[in-house]
Amino acid sequence: MTITTAQDSERGQSAAPVPAINTKDLRKTYKSARGDVEAVRGIDLDVPAGEFFGLLGPNGAGKSTTIGMLTTLVRPTGGAAMVAGHDVVRDPVGVKRRIGVVTQNNTLDMQLTVAENLEFRSRFFGLSAREASRRAAQLIDAFGLGDRRKAMASDLSGGQARRLLIARALVHKPDVLFLDEPTAALDPQTRVNLWNILRVLHEQGQTVLLTTHYMEEAEELCDRVAVVDHGRVLAEGTVGELKENAGAVTIVTVRFEEQIQADFPERAGVTAMPGVTSAEISGDQLKVFSREPEGLLGELVALGAREGLHVRDAATQAPSLETVFLTLTGREYRE
Amino acid sequence: MATTVTRPGGPGGPGGPGQGPGGGAGADIGAGADELTAASIAALVSDAPTPRPTLAKTFWAMMTREFRVLRRNAISTFTRSVMQPLLFVFVFAFVLPKIGGGMSVAGGGGGGGTNFATILVPGLMASMLLMQGIFGTTMPLVMEFSWQRTIEDRALAPVPIRMLAVQKILAGSIQSFIGACIVFPIVLFVHAAGQAPHVNVTNWALLLVILVFGATMTSSLGLLLGTLMDPRKMQMLFAVILLPITMLGCVYYPWSALHTIRWLQIVTLINPMVYMAEGLRAVLTPSLGHMPLWAVFLALIGGTVLFGYLGTRTFRNRVVN
């Protein structure tokens, strides 16, 4: 897929294919007196136009730093990044002309009203006062902010502010829309409604890069996902591909009435079962990772009974982004 | 298209005022019963106007935004600012002369004593330039750089970050200039009978130039301070910077009168306020001793360039991590 830059359109030339986002070995190291912190350690991304791409990872994984570099607000310390055909270091103004950004924090202009936030952002992008006013009215209606039009941005609730942030990012028809944790701290209903808005935008061909630490958000919205942790991409692909190829496994958890001995998995032959990749003991809990989960739960219960263990409860977790993350990192997903 | 988006609740709903902007959201998006069709959201993409940003258009739009905010806050901003010079001239040019405590200062170049109101006019105008220049630039920056980093709103506009810094300086300069113009009639006309300041403007163009350079220098200093200071230590701004600059800035006495305290006269030369006060003294009350204008302009232009360079540099480093 390709995108045509506004400049190309204005010139009426046939546009050369330009990926929406392309990074090569992108790096960021923060220097401080207490030592350097490698926030991003060489990320390669290739996002074609029209794609809804997700960066999934826990807090501190390097997602926001990556989005910061792509939106020109964080200076890379290595590698290269192009957004809509513009180099983020050499041509930050060119990048900013073609992107819309919904920041993680509420960066609305608190000195302005809802309508003014949209009008002035439109004017920053070259619209006349009349065009800006018309665009603001359109955005206010579409995002259901009509009754808050004259409210100061500082008086909006979190959900309203989030909608206004998204509306503001769309004033100038950006080639790429960046969303940094857009639903963080929102209640479930508000989150689902924002997802619907984002789905519609995507259906209209809007390229979106979303960072999130919500597994279900990435599964719901993204065409492709990169799982990020400690500043590196651990795996990349569609959710289906990740589940299939990234070693995602079913996790069977059995909790017994009694404490389990540490050598139980080996002694009872759990780790030798077909498809089992590993097993963990934590107090009274046995967690088994398997690619062939059929009948596993019954076998574990039977093995436990042979050792004199009585089952309290059990659960099976099918392959998901969460299990992908667990498989890739060997750690519980931390939000 | 099947997707629908729920319309938010009415004005009295959970989205009303009083909820923190960055806090946990209420269920306001889905509170209403009726629904928006996806078509209105879709139209946002299909009907979007083609952006035609230029540096000049964006810069002007940012300035227009500053004027809007300044107009909205004008009464509170300038009322607060005018109180200090108003009270000062009221006490020193009206109350004290009335109760027999009138002051006079021997100017370095003048022969006899000069009433205090004459000393105060240029001094308080310079003080106003500084206060408004600092407050018009530093305070908004401190808020914009606080944890929510609302500075990113403007930083994502399609202009270089240095141009955004210059826009901040210009906006602060305008506020500073307006402040000085407002305070001029106050310090001119508030006084007791017989205590009128002896102001004689022989060159209005020169006065304008000094005000413009003074305003630009103070807002450049404001940019530097706003990008260097830790928001949690803002009280230090008053105690460590503004108070010494004002008290030792030849606001209440001419620089030439300090010749009796030679070391202090030399030390005050590092104070930018001295040059604004002395420059205004040269054009408003030329009969009083004052610094030569070449020294004033050298300091004002040099200060503007120095603070402007350092301020835009630190600004860029704060905005782009």
Side-chain angles (χ1 to χ4, degrees), chain A residues 191-248:
Chain A
R191 181 181 302 167
V192 168
N193 277 283
L194 274 180
W195 287 357
N196 289 338
I197 291 173
L198 298 176
R199 259 189 221 105
V200 176
L201 290 172
H202 180 43
E203 285 166 10
Q204 293 301 305
Q206 177 69 59
T207 308
V208 182
L209 187 143
L210 167 97
T211 72
T212 183
H213 61 258
Y214 296 123
M215 300 284 183
E216 69 275 20
E217 189 160 275
E219 289 203 74
E220 278 287 329
L221 296 171
C222 298
D223 297 326
R224 284 196 307 137
V225 174
V227 180
V228 183
D229 195 27
H230 296 304
R232 288 196 179 93
V233 174
L234 303 178
E236 186 183 329
T238 65
V239 172
E241 286 170 350
L242 287 176
K243 286 178 184 173
E244 193 153 324
N245 303 329

Side-chain angles (χ1 to χ4, degrees), chain B residues 59-231:
Chain B
F59 190 87
W60 176 243
M62 287 176 169
M63 287 308 298
T64 312
R65 180 254 172 215
E66 298 289 346
F67 294 139
R68 180 75 58 91
V69 173
L70 188 59
R71 192 178 70 193
R72 179 165 289 145
N73 302 328
I75 293 176
S76 61
T77 299
F78 291 113
T79 302
R80 192 176 62 235
S81 310
V82 155
M83 286 309 288
Q84 187 246 359
L86 177 63
L87 286 171
F88 216 92
V89 288
F90 179 71
V91 170
F92 285 95
F94 182 81
V95 176
L96 287 181
K98 283 275 188 191
I99 62 177
M103 295 167 65
S104 66
V105 174
T114 304
N115 74 7
F116 197 46
T118 306
I119 305 288
L120 280 179
V121 172
L124 289 179
M125 281 183 73
S127 171
M128 190 66 166
L129 278 174
L130 179 84
M131 291 296 176
Q132 285 299 326
I134 299 280
F135 281 100
T137 315
T138 306
M139 293 304 175
L141 273 179
V142 167
M143 286 198 294
E144 287 169 354
F145 278 121
S146 62
W147 69 277
Q148 288 281 24
R149 277 185 68 83
T150 54
I151 189 70
E152 290 178 5
D153 166 59
R154 252 62 53 73
L156 287 166
V159 289
I161 299 298
R162 281 182 191 277
M163 186 178 264
L164 177 57
V166 170
Q167 184 270 328
K168 294 267 174 204
I169 291 174
L170 183 59
S173 306
I174 291 170
Q175 187 168 327
S176 174
F177 182 83
I178 293 171
C181 292
I182 289 175
V183 87
F184 188 45
I186 293 174
V187 294
L188 211 54
F189 297 118
V190 177
H191 55 78
Q195 293 295 321
H198 304 296
V199 172
N200 177 27
V201 183
T202 53
N203 191 334
W204 285 95
L206 199 57
L207 172 63
L208 187 68
V209 170
I210 288 173
L211 287 175
V212 168
F213 274 116
T216 312
M217 183 178 71
T218 55
S219 59
S220 300
L221 177 61
L223 182 80
L224 181 62
L225 293 174
T227 50
L228 283 179
M229 289 204 69
D230 181 344

Side-chain angles (χ1 to χ4, degrees), chain A residues 125-298:
Chain A
F125 282 86
L127 270 58
S128 67
R130 183 178 294 180
E131 284 175 320
S133 179
R134 196 164 46 229
R135 182 64 172 161
Q138 186 190 22
L139 286 158
I140 283 169
D141 287 344
F143 280 87
L145 290 164
D147 48 13
R148 307 293 289 157
R149 179 186 303 268
K150 291 182 179 172
M152 296 301 288
S154 54
D155 291 336
L156 297 180
S157 70
Q160 290 169 335
R162 192 56 55 180
R163 272 182 292 148
L164 182 56
L165 281 164
I166 296 175
R168 195 181 62 170
L170 294 170
V171 293
H172 60 295
K173 197 177 183 179
D175 289 341
V176 186
L177 179 62
F178 289 94
L179 301 158
D180 192 6
E181 305 273 3
T183 59
L186 295 182
D187 66 85
Q189 189 183 2
T190 308
R191 181 181 302 167
V192 168
N193 277 283
L194 274 180
W195 287 357
N196 289 338
I197 291 173
L198 298 176
R199 259 189 221 105
V200 176
L201 290 172
H202 180 43
E203 285 166 10
Q204 293 301 305
Q206 177 69 59
T207 308
V208 182
L209 187 143
L210 167 97
T211 72
T212 183
H213 61 258
Y214 296 123
M215 300 284 183
E216 69 275 20
E217 189 160 275
E219 289 203 74
E220 278 287 329
L221 296 171
C222 298
D223 297 326
R224 284 196 307 137
V225 174
V227 180
V228 183
D229 195 27
H230 296 304
R232 288 196 179 93
V233 174
L234 303 178
E236 186 183 329
T238 65
V239 172
E241 286 170 350
L242 287 176
K243 286 178 184 173
E244 193 153 324
N245 303 329
V249 291
T250 296
I251 303 170
V252 178
T253 306
V254 184
R255 180 169 288 171
F256 296 98
E257 297 286 353
E258 302 81 8
Q259 295 290 303
I260 312 167
Q261 291 186 347
D263 63 347
F264 171 74
E266 248 178 64
R267 200 181 61 243
V270 174
T271 48
M273 288 176 162
V276 170
T277 57
S278 62
E280 289 175 3
I281 299 287
S282 174
D284 60 355
Q285 184 176 282
L286 168 66
K287 196 176 264 187
V288 180
F289 301 78
S290 175
R291 289 200 178 85
E292 295 174 31
E294 293 79 12
L296 179 60
L297 178 58

